[in-house]
Amino acid sequence: MKKPLVGALFAVLLLGAGTAPAFAVTSHDATAPSTVKAAASSSHTAATAAAKVRPKAIGFAGTVALSNCSGSVVRTPGSQPGDPALVLSNGHCMESGFPGPGEVVRDQPSTRTFTLLNSAGSGVGTLRASKIAYGTMTDTDISVYQLTSTYAQIESSYGIKALELNTAHPVQGTAITVVSGYWKRTYSCNVDGFVYRLKEGEWTWKDSVRYTSACQTIGGTSGSPVVDNATGKVVAVNNTGNEDGQECTDNNPCEVDESGEVTVRQGINYAQETYGIVPCIGAGNVFDLNRQGCTLPKP
């Protein structure tokens, strides 16, 4: 996984923030180019063209810095200005420690603070959690904090709007930016493909996003929103990469396909899709795991 702060600082001391390898609670690996069939050449060409176009300037507004990770203030399409705002990060970034396989955290009181950033990456204020609304490292790697402030209060005080969660599955070839509030640094690349099962140590994640090799994220980037350059919406949350080329160990996730074949890609990094969060959030930004379409793991 993109290791929390201690690992991140060690990497920077050795290599410098610009060259340290990417790592999360899980790992990353070196990615091989995706195989594109000739019959799909037209869609590949379109994806390539889209990758060269960046209609929206992707800044830091709405992202946050945690004590050990990155995150972002997020909303669903149905969130209202008066709703308590939500912060998205990784499950492995929670102050309570890594949840075990099968463990789901729900409505756990929290007073954690987050430094809110503006578009230039400067800290403009401190936000405070009231609880961890949802957190897990099973099937995905997410934590969602409910804040003591509403979206309207944040916008009134700081002029900053929340990032919107996309409602659809990400698309291969999409140009993306990983925005780290912790490091105040962005990483630009494309969605290289999707992993049926991504296994790292005790944990297994489903349908993970694999980046192209340009996104060399480092420790502390865990929890960063992965933003679609064309829409400005969040399509995933950064969480890991294969550091050392090991197979399925901590900080060295491996890819497992439907037939059980294992692939290791040293130096390649991954994220967890976020569209599946949206159906689980109802009126008032309340998590309801029994809502229609919600497939997040239950306690």
Side-chain angles (χ1 to χ4, degrees):
M1 287 154 265
K2 297 306 170 195
K3 293 172 184 166
L5 179 57
V6 174
L9 290 179
F10 181 69
V12 171
L13 289 172
L14 289 181
L15 301 172
T19 57
F23 47 90
V25 182
T26 51
S27 59
H28 351 354
D29 54 20
T31 188
S34 300
T35 301
V36 181
K37 296 181 180 180
S41 60
S42 60
S43 61
H44 175 69
T45 300
T48 301
K52 296 179 181 179
V53 178
R54 302 186 61 170
K56 290 184 176 292
I58 308 300
F60 296 92
T63 64
V64 299
L66 285 66
S67 58
N68 59 346
C69 289
S70 299
S72 56
V73 181
V74 296
R75 62 183 297 275
T76 72
S79 295
Q80 299 300 308
D83 291 341
L86 303 175
V87 163
L88 171 67
S89 190
N90 284 149
H92 75 258
C93 292
M94 291 191 294
E95 67 269 34
S96 53
F98 294 2
E103 182 180 355
V104 173
V105 176
R106 286 280 285 118
D107 295 329
Q108 177 175 295
S110 174
T111 57
R112 192 166 196 181
T113 58
F114 312 88
T115 300
L116 179 66
L117 306 184
N118 63 16
S119 60
S122 299
V124 294
T126 300
L127 305 177
R128 184 176 297 276
S130 61
K131 66 180 180 180
I132 301 173
Y134 185 88
T136 192
M137 288 177 65
T138 298
D139 295 350
T140 185
D141 183 10
I142 61 169
S143 60
V144 181
Y145 289 81
Q146 181 174 298
L147 302 184
T148 58
S149 304
T150 66
Y151 296 115
Q153 288 170 333
I154 293 172
E155 186 171 358
S156 175
S157 297
Y158 308 110
I160 293 174
K161 295 182 178 181
L163 303 179
E164 184 173 331
L165 295 174
N166 196 31
T167 59
H169 190 285
V171 177
Q172 185 175 12
T174 297
I176 54 174
T177 301
V178 182
V179 189
S180 172
Y182 183 85
W183 288 117
K184 301 176 178 62
R185 178 178 173 183
T186 61
Y187 303 80
S188 297
C189 60
N190 294 75
V191 174
D192 185 54
F194 305 97
V195 183
Y196 176 69
R197 296 290 184 267
L198 188 65
K199 181 173 176 56
E200 179 179 334
E202 299 180 89
W203 298 278
T204 299
W205 302 303
K206 297 179 179 179
D207 196 23
S208 302
V209 174
R210 179 177 62 240
Y211 306 144
T212 52
S213 58
C215 279
Q216 288 294 300
T217 50
I218 63 174
T221 62
S222 287
S224 299
V226 179
V227 179
D228 182 326
N229 291 351
T231 66
K233 295 181 180 180
V234 177
V235 296
V237 58
N238 181 65
N239 83 307
T240 195
N242 188 296
E243 299 177 27
D244 307 313
Q246 296 177 19
E247 184 177 301
C248 312
T249 63
D250 289 351
N251 304 311
N252 291 282
C254 61
E255 301 182 13
V256 183
D257 67 15
E258 292 91 335
S259 65
E261 183 176 349
V262 175
T263 301
V264 173
R265 303 176 190 268
Q266 184 177 1
I268 293 304
N269 298 293
Y270 302 89
Q272 301 306 307
E273 296 164 357
T274 51
Y275 76 100
I277 298 173
V278 177
C280 304
I281 299 176
N285 268 357
V286 175
F287 267 81
D288 179 358
L289 302 182
N290 294 315
R291 294 188 84 229
Q292 184 175 359
C294 179
T295 58
L296 288 177
K298 298 179 181 179

